[in-house]
Amino acid sequence: MSPDPTGLDFWIDLFSAVFMVVGAVMSLGAAIGLLRFPDLLSRMHAATKPQVLGLFLLLAAIGLQMRTWWVWPVLVVAWIFQLLTVPVSAHMVGRAGYRTKHLHRELLTADELEAVVQKAAAKTAREDSSGDGQLH
Amino acid sequence: MMQTVLVLTAVIFSLAAAGAIIRIARGPSLLDRVLAADVLLAILGGALCVDMAVNRHLNNLMLVVAISIIGFIGSVTVARFVADRREQPDES
């Protein structure tokens, strides 16, 4: 396997090699972020890297290495499936983390969920007090 | 060149998997562990992708898709479970 340095095969191999190494480095970045970031929400930020960009680079490397056209739609379907499922699970995990208070509040710059939560709590409290008034 | 890339990515993926496993073992909360397990599944899928790209076959593609399904179902289920369980003492 000693390709001609000017041929097209050489450049395709080079691109796919770069894609594979960068995709692997995304996983390493996620692991370092998991180990070093202080709370759940910032760890979720790091965890997204291999799931979306890393998988995209590795699937592109597969497509370049196979050197056929029909494989690209299959890879795109696999990647789009990942794109659809990752935000849903991240949303669920983030919401559960917010509710169980696994976050450092002093690290937040904006908290748009707190207004909604307080509004809901006030509504529940109002309904409770009005219910008590009718009972007595 | 492909063999060099294979060795290099194997080393990087091993280090990344070790980091994720350390976070699974040490994570202070259940949600941290779920997140780290999700990352570990992503690393496994990435390693399968590199194997497919270097050896030029597509045998593992369904396995990669299945791994992403498993990660999705697992994290959604556990997140739902945690939310339900922590809300009970507040209501009673």
Side-chain angles (χ1 to χ4, degrees), chain B residues 17-67:
Chain B
I21 290 172
I22 288 172
R23 180 47 76 188
I24 290 177
R26 222 167 49 177
S29 72
L30 179 63
L31 287 169
D32 287 314
R33 293 193 171 97
V34 170
L35 195 64
D38 221 358
V39 170
L40 190 60
L41 280 179
I43 290 168
L44 190 62
L48 290 173
C49 283
V50 167
D51 175 53
M52 278 190 286
V54 169
N55 294 324
R56 296 191 183 180
H57 61 84
L58 287 174
N59 300 341
N60 298 335
L61 200 58
M62 281 303 113
L63 194 54
V64 171
V65 175
I67 279 175

Side-chain angles (χ1 to χ4, degrees), chain A residues 29-93:
Chain A
I32 293 173
L34 279 181
L35 288 179
R36 289 195 51 88
F37 280 165
D39 66 343
L40 178 71
L41 295 182
S42 47
R43 279 177 200 146
M44 283 175 65
H45 155 70
T48 331
K49 265 71 206 168
Q51 289 173 349
V52 178
L53 184 56
L55 190 70
F56 170 74
L57 291 172
L58 293 171
L59 290 177
I62 294 176
L64 288 177
Q65 282 291 311
M66 294 302 287
R67 290 181 177 58
T68 48
W69 289 111
W70 61 266
V71 76
W72 283 94
V74 181
L75 301 176
V76 167
V77 165
W79 189 59
I80 285 181
F81 186 77
Q82 182 86 348
L83 271 191
L84 288 178
T85 55
V86 160
V88 178
S89 62
H91 175 85
M92 299 286 289
V93 170

